[in-house]
Amino acid sequence: MADKRMTHEEVIAELSSGMTIGIGGWGSRRKPMSLVRAILRSELTDLTVVTYGGPDAGLLCAAGKVRRLVYGFVSLDSIALDPHFRAVRQAGSIEVTEYDEGMLQWGLYAAGIRVPFLPTRAGLGSDVMTVNPELKTVKDPYGDEELVAVPAIHLDAALVHMNRADQHGNAQFLGPDPYFDDLYCMAADRAYVSCEKIVPTAEMSANAHPATMKISRLMVRGVVEAPNGAHFTSCVPDYGRDEKFQREYATAAGDPATWGEFTRRYLSGNEDDYQRAVAQRKTEEVSA
């Protein structure tokens, strides 16, 4: 079996401007933030980003990387809206596709099983149909019910973060929810997994139920070992969300000068620099 270990930089080198990129996780939970930060450092632009959004969407929008955002929501969980997303949405500076959460799931699943659409009742009788006039309805061929035809959401690449993975790309979640990371991988031409730790395959099956190995190596092109790579989102049970850092992020986003300082401190270097800055911040908190 192939050794699929890669660096952040090697993953980003396989992406290109204009791609449709799916980002796994859910709100401010288990986001592949180290890969998002690698995109921030890159020349990539004009991206279509598909996400149950959190700070991934906010940071990429703030950096001017996003042309179109496809989402079921964009939230920081304990903070209702990501402030960078709110700013670009209110300004109308990016294209958006706003779906019901289940519709987004259905679109990814349709792409994963290679069908052009899947029918659903979600969206009927709501403004989802108004703000997405391209959506069509279909009639049940076995009856007369009218249903929404959710189009397949095909991804050029998917980025997800998991608790554990092996060098071949099998990946495992250990928290309470897999979210829809497997659907992102199924819907993509190429899927890349970052993880807290790369371990032997046998260790994954020995320490948790096989059902937690939600992502198969057959879906994955590359795997990146990225300890604390979901920070500042949660990666339960390895760590929870860094609420203090998240508040600092949200506060900084509201003021250009403060955001500039935040960017200089945390986002101006590579991933090692980021992790050192986060560790230094925690040391300063203890000393205060």
Side-chain angles (χ1 to χ4, degrees), residues 1 17 38 47 74 95-96 108 147 158 191 212 214 225 232 257 260 266:
M1 292 187 288
S17 294
L47 300 175
V74 181
E95 299 175 29
V96 297
L108 292 170
L147 300 168
T212 62
K214 195 71 172 176
E225 187 171 60
F232 53 93
Y266 298 113

Side-chain angles (χ1 to χ4, degrees), residues 113-148:
I113 61 175
R114 305 299 189 264
V115 296
F117 71 91
L118 284 172
T120 182
R121 295 184 181 90
L124 290 171
S126 78
D127 277 346
V128 168
M129 304 298 290
T130 303
V131 299
N132 297 287
E134 72 280 4
L135 286 174
K136 301 182 184 301
T137 60
V138 293
K139 185 167 287 189
D140 173 8
Y142 303 104
D144 293 326
E145 185 176 8
E146 198 81 7
L147 300 168
V148 178

Side-chain angles (χ1 to χ4, degrees), residues 10 23 38 98 103 106 212:
E10 287 171 336
I23 300 178
E98 298 175 322
M103 294 172 73
W106 225 220
T212 62

Side-chain angles (χ1 to χ4, degrees), residues 221-236:
R221 180 173 175 85
V223 58
V224 180
E225 187 171 60
N228 209 38
H231 185 272
F232 53 93
T233 72
S234 63
C235 189
V236 177

Side-chain angles (χ1 to χ4, degrees), residues 21-274:
I21 297 177
I23 300 178
W26 183 268
S28 197
R29 309 176 207 181
R30 213 178 69 226
K31 285 288 180 175
M33 295 302 292
S34 63
L35 288 169
V36 170
R37 288 186 285 270
I39 293 176
L40 296 178
R41 297 190 296 271
S42 76
E43 299 299 318
L44 294 175
T45 189
D46 197 37
L47 300 175
T48 294
V49 174
V50 180
T51 180
Y52 290 97
D56 55 326
L59 283 165
L60 292 172
C61 285
K65 301 291 187 181
V66 179
R67 178 184 63 83
R68 178 181 174 220
L69 193 65
V70 182
Y71 57 92
F73 58 80
V74 181
S75 172
L76 300 180
D77 293 329
S78 58
I79 297 173
L81 287 175
D82 180 286
H84 286 308
F85 163 75
R86 180 176 59 193
V88 297
R89 184 67 184 94
Q90 291 176 339
S93 56
I94 62 169
E95 299 175 29
V96 297
T97 298
E98 298 175 322
Y99 279 164
D100 166 90
E101 293 172 15
M103 294 172 73
L104 183 56
Q105 173 198 5
W106 225 220
L108 292 170
Y109 186 47
I113 61 175
R114 305 299 189 264
V115 296
F117 71 91
L118 284 172
T120 182
R121 295 184 181 90
L124 290 171
S126 78
D127 277 346
V128 168
M129 304 298 290
T130 303
V131 299
N132 297 287
E134 72 280 4
L135 286 174
K136 301 182 184 301
T137 60
V138 293
K139 185 167 287 189
D140 173 8
Y142 303 104
D144 293 326
E145 185 176 8
E146 198 81 7
L147 300 168
V148 178
V150 180
I153 303 173
H154 174 262
L155 307 174
D156 295 309
L159 310 176
V160 304
H161 186 81
M162 302 293 278
N163 297 92
R164 303 290 181 270
D166 65 17
Q167 66 184 29
H168 311 298
N170 298 299
Q172 178 181 47
F173 74 99
L174 298 176
D177 199 323
Y179 310 120
F180 296 119
D181 288 358
D182 56 325
L183 296 189
Y184 279 98
C185 294
M186 288 171 58
D189 288 341
R190 320 172 191 174
Y192 301 93
V193 176
S194 59
C195 66
E196 291 299 310
K197 187 177 181 181
I198 293 178
V199 299
T201 310
E203 183 175 321
M204 289 195 291
S205 58
N207 294 338
H209 193 280
T212 62
M213 294 175 64
K214 195 71 172 176
I215 295 176
S216 164
R217 61 184 173 83
L218 301 179
M219 304 177 183
V220 175
R221 180 173 175 85
V223 58
V224 180
E225 187 171 60
N228 209 38
H231 185 272
F232 53 93
T233 72
S234 63
C235 189
V236 177
D238 293 309
Y239 47 86
R241 182 164 51 242
D242 189 336
E243 294 286 1
K244 289 184 178 179
F245 191 99
Q246 179 164 275
R247 287 194 296 271
E248 181 180 347
Y249 161 78
T251 300
D255 177 73
T258 308
W259 180 248
E261 178 56 36
F262 183 97
T263 299
R264 284 189 293 274
R265 181 172 187 182
Y266 298 113
L267 302 176
S268 59
N270 61 25
E271 183 63 16
D272 288 341
D273 294 326
Y274 173 84

